[in-house]
Amino acid sequence: MIAIPAIDLREGACVQLVGGSYADERVRVKDPMDALKRWRSFGFKTFHVVDLDAALGKGSNEGPIGKLLTHEPGLTFSVGGGVRSMAKAEAVLALGASYVVVGTKAIEDPAWLREVAERFPGRVVVAADVKGREVVTRGWTSGSALDISDVLATLEPLSLGGLLVTAVHKEGQMEGVDLPLMEEVARASRHPLFASGGVTTMEDLRALGRVGAFGAVIGMALYTGKLEATEVAREFA
């Protein structure tokens, strides 16, 4: 399993929010490139970038994203946030992303997702943001009335690059992961699982690896020093 530092963008800065709430911002790095360089210095090679403003329809961080993706060859980036059209998916990949992450539109419009997955086989990661067991959309502000198991069933036939499952109820709280949820997803789906939400300790990472996660996205715990980056990189980078 690999550990993947999160680079969440808001108003051109790299931030960390609790539970996805704009009102509860705990970390702000003015220049996202400083965050990338910091994590690279420990040996991390794979990164997850989210345009929070685009996800909520409040703007775009395309400029900073472009700089991150072209800073150094050989790195792997998954990029999402507000990708709700074929043109936007294509643009993200054209910027240099290894994977484009689609969430709201993918959940609400399965036919569109199928079309995008066929256009870019193996390069589309579906973000399923889960609150309890319900998949939520639109920057975690809207319920879908869909259970995670129902969503997994619809995704199974598609040629995806993976599933990014975020336990919203754990996000940014540094209280541990929703291991039963992640184990269920890993068992139910053939797609690689990228787990997110609540990763706080080395044991969280090891447990995710044991239940079959391909990768774990880490945000708050790395940025606050709760997780020692050197230790994480040594075992999981």
Side-chain angles (χ1 to χ4, degrees):
M1 193 191 75
I2 57 173
I4 305 168
I7 302 178
D8 296 346
L9 303 178
R10 176 186 186 185
E11 301 161 344
C14 172
V15 303
Q16 284 295 297
L17 310 178
V18 176
S21 171
Y22 263 44
D24 203 350
E25 179 182 301
R26 297 289 176 87
V27 174
R28 177 172 283 249
V29 180
K30 187 175 180 180
D31 187 350
M33 194 65 71
D34 290 340
L36 176 63
K37 290 176 180 177
R38 180 183 178 190
W39 304 134
R40 278 295 294 125
S41 73
F42 291 103
F44 293 101
K45 296 179 180 179
T46 302
F47 303 90
H48 178 61
V49 179
V50 179
D51 188 337
L52 296 172
D53 296 318
L56 292 177
K58 295 183 175 182
S60 170
N61 290 280
E62 185 173 311
I65 291 172
K67 291 179 182 178
L68 291 170
L69 270 53
T70 57
H71 171 66
E72 178 186 345
L75 303 182
T76 298
F77 289 92
S78 56
V79 179
V83 180
R84 296 174 184 137
S85 70
M86 182 72 75
K88 182 64 182 285
E90 189 168 9
V92 166
L93 293 172
L95 279 174
S98 307
Y99 302 97
V100 59
V101 182
V102 293
T104 296
K105 180 73 170 178
I107 301 302
E108 295 179 350
D109 191 345
W112 175 82
L113 173 60
R114 186 165 56 252
E115 184 181 353
V116 176
E118 289 173 354
R119 175 84 175 273
F120 306 110
R123 299 191 69 189
V124 177
V125 171
V126 172
D129 299 334
V130 183
K131 206 169 191 175
R133 290 191 58 86
E134 182 186 18
V135 175
V136 294
T137 59
R138 301 188 180 275
W140 305 349
T141 61
S142 299
S144 68
L146 295 172
D147 186 89
I148 181 61
S149 61
D150 298 325
V151 172
L152 293 177
T154 66
L155 300 179
E156 200 60 11
L158 304 180
S159 178
L160 300 176
L163 305 177
L164 172 64
V165 177
T166 299
V168 174
H169 47 287
K170 295 286 191 176
E171 181 72 14
Q173 297 181 38
M174 294 193 293
E175 295 177 353
V177 299
D178 187 337
L179 199 60
L181 170 66
M182 300 307 174
E183 182 172 17
E184 177 182 344
V185 173
R187 287 184 174 183
S189 177
R190 66 185 178 89
H191 302 301
L193 166 63
F194 298 92
S196 175
V199 175
T200 309
T201 66
M202 291 296 291
E203 183 51 36
D204 286 336
L205 291 169
R206 295 176 186 127
L208 287 170
R210 285 196 296 269
V211 300
F214 178 82
V217 177
I218 315 174
M220 191 72 78
L222 271 183
Y223 282 90
T224 60
K226 180 81 172 180
L227 263 176
E228 174 52 55
T230 302
E231 189 178 4
V232 175
R234 185 185 303 121
E235 192 167 338
F236 294 105

